[in-house]
C-alpha cells in the first residue's frame, strides 16, 4: 500500500526522520524532483529530516545494496550534530 496513505513517508522516526522506501531489482533507479519535494514537504511539516531509501535486490528478494538520498542540508545538519 505504499503511496496509498494520506501522510507521505513509509517510515517515521517521530521527531527525527521521514523516510520514503523504494525497492528495485534493476541496476538503476531514478529519483525525481517530485519524489524529493513530496518527502521534503511531509518532513518539514513535522520538523523531521527527509530521506529516500533505495534498496537494490537480486530479483529474488535478497538485498544487494541500500542507499539513502537526502537533500544536502540534511548532510550539513548531520555534520553539525556530529561536531557537537
Amino acid at each position: 500500500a505504499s503511496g496509498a496513505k494520506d501522510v507521505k513517508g513509509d517510515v517515521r522516526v517521530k521527531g527525527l526522520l521521514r523516510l520514503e522506501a523504494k525497492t528495485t531489482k534493476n541496476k538503476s533507479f531514478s529519483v525525481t524532483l517530485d519524489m524529493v519535494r513530496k518527502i521534503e514537504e511531509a518532513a518539514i511539516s513535522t520538523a523531521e529530516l527527509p530521506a529516500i531509501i533505495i534498496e537494490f535486490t537480486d530479483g529474488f528478494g535478497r538485498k544487494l545494496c541500500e542507499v539513502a538520498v537526502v537533500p544536502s542540508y540534511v548532510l550539513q545538519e548531520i555534520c553539525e550534530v556530529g561536531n557537537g
Side-chain angles (χ1 to χ4, degrees):
S2 182
K5 299 175 281 189
D6 291 336
V7 178
K8 193 67 179 163
D10 294 322
V11 177
R12 276 183 81 191
V13 178
K14 199 169 183 174
L16 184 59
L17 294 171
R18 177 72 62 116
L19 308 173
E20 181 69 20
K22 302 293 182 184
T23 303
T24 184
K25 61 183 177 183
N26 298 320
K27 293 185 179 191
S28 65
F29 181 87
S30 294
V31 176
T32 66
L33 182 57
D34 187 49
M35 289 169 63
V36 173
R37 286 190 173 152
K38 283 181 181 177
I39 194 64
E40 218 172 4
E41 287 172 11
I44 288 170
S45 69
T46 56
E48 296 166 342
L49 297 173
I52 300 169
I53 304 296
I54 304 162
E55 181 181 282
F56 293 91
T57 68
D58 64 0
F60 299 101
R62 289 184 295 241
K63 184 185 341 181
L64 300 174
C65 177
E66 189 172 57
V67 298
V69 177
V70 298
S72 59
Y73 67 83
V74 171
L75 292 178
Q76 184 176 353
E77 286 193 39
I78 291 169
C79 291
E80 288 172 3
V81 169
N83 287 328

